[in-house]
């Protein structure tokens, strides 16, 4: 059916920018009725990932990225969450962080919950956030200082700061200024990391 092909093309293009993931609302916007969505999920043309979140089956056979699953959480949050803290350090490939949970920063009024994610509430400014393929993530500077503010192990911070400075991702001055804005705990941890980097 030509109409169905057109709807699939529209949804495929949208999902292609989201590592194959899409929401029921996005499918509806592309032209799939809820009845058609049920049909495709039942036939396993679409894999149901969560309530109202699907992924095209074809993506199972494509090479995956270590950050694919973060798109799912971005869509789960209705595009309100930002990947942050230690999870953001792994996205930026900074240091030795390997968190068991996905860290997300959400607006203070956010109400959803899931045991697989650790939510932090804050109002982030545009210059603290970067767009990645299918999700948003805090910048390297913000990822480091917010991790410092919640008391992450000093050795994780030391390695992240050393690598970020070595790669020219930020200056010592900019990092320290960002830490000062988050408070004494972050500032002290960042000062220690910078001393370790110089020694």
């Amino acid at each position: 059916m030509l109409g169905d092909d057109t709807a699939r093309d529209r949804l495929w293009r949208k999902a292609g920018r989201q590592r194959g993931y899409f929401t029921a609302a996005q499918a509806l916007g592309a032209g799939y009725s809820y009845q058609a969505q049920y049909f495709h999920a039942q036939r396993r043309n679409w894999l149901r990932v969560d309530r109202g979140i699907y992924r095209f089956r074809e993506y199972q056979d494509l090479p995956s990225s270590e950050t694919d699953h973060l798109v799912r959480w971005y869509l789960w949050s209705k595009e309100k969450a930002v990947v942050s803290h230690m999870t953001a350090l792994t996205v930026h490939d900074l240091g030795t962080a390997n968190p068991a949970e996905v860290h997300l920063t959400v607006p203070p009024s956010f109400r959803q919950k899931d045991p697989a994610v650790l939510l932090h509430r804050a109002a982030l400014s545009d210059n603290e956030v970067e767009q990645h393929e299918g999700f948003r993530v805090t910048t390297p500077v913000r990822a480091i200082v917010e991790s410092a503010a919640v008391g992450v192990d000093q050795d994780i911070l030391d390695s992240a700061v050393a690598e970020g400075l070595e790669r020219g991702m930020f200056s010592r001055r900019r990092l320290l200024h960002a830490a000062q804005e988050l408070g004494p705990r972050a500032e002290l941890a960042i000062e220690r990391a910078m001393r370790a980097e110089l020694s």
Side-chain angles (χ1 to χ4, degrees):
M1 292 187 302
L2 186 61
D4 196 45
D5 288 345
T6 305
R8 188 183 194 281
D9 289 345
R10 282 194 295 266
L11 187 57
W12 183 264
R13 282 194 299 274
K14 180 72 175 174
R17 296 189 292 271
Q18 300 173 164
R19 314 271 177 94
Y21 292 97
F22 57 92
T23 64
Q26 288 171 343
L28 192 66
Y32 285 97
S33 67
Y34 288 120
Q35 186 177 0
Q37 292 182 36
Y38 178 78
F39 169 81
H40 284 289
Q42 287 296 106
R43 292 290 298 271
R44 292 190 57 76
N45 299 327
W46 302 353
L47 305 178
R48 188 176 185 272
V49 176
D50 203 340
R51 185 168 178 241
I53 301 176
Y54 302 95
R55 197 179 197 197
F56 277 113
R57 187 185 62 206
E58 291 88 343
Y59 273 77
Q60 281 190 313
D61 303 321
L62 294 174
S64 63
S65 159
E66 289 178 10
T67 58
D68 279 3
H69 67 292
L70 299 177
V71 180
R72 172 251 176 110
W73 292 113
Y74 180 62
L75 295 176
W76 167 82
S77 74
K78 297 181 174 55
E79 303 180 15
K80 290 183 171 64
V82 178
V83 174
S84 64
H85 295 74
M86 284 194 292
T87 308
L89 292 180
T90 64
V91 170
H92 295 300
D93 194 24
L94 281 173
T96 58
N98 186 21
E101 296 145 311
V102 172
H103 291 255
L104 300 174
T105 294
V106 294
S109 59
F110 191 81
R111 290 288 166 258
Q112 286 173 255
K113 289 181 182 175
D114 192 290
V117 292
L118 191 57
L119 299 179
H120 306 269
R121 287 179 167 77
L124 295 170
S125 63
D126 288 344
N127 65 353
E128 294 175 310
V129 178
E130 293 179 1
Q131 183 69 46
H132 273 240
E133 188 186 353
F135 65 93
R136 294 186 306 150
V137 61
T138 53
T139 62
V141 166
R142 174 71 194 197
I144 290 172
V145 299
E146 66 195 1
S147 295
V150 297
V152 72
D153 287 348
Q154 189 65 42
D155 60 335
I156 291 174
L157 279 181
D158 292 353
S159 62
V161 168
E163 285 183 24
L165 288 169
E166 186 181 325
R167 285 154 59 186
M169 298 174 92
F170 45 77
S171 66
R172 287 178 178 79
R173 183 177 176 180
R174 185 170 165 219
L175 187 63
L176 188 57
H177 178 70
Q180 288 166 344
E181 289 186 341
L182 285 189
R185 186 180 196 179
E187 184 180 1
L188 181 60
I190 294 303
E191 283 176 349
R192 283 179 180 156
M194 289 197 291
R195 279 200 301 271
E197 192 264 337
L198 290 169
S199 62

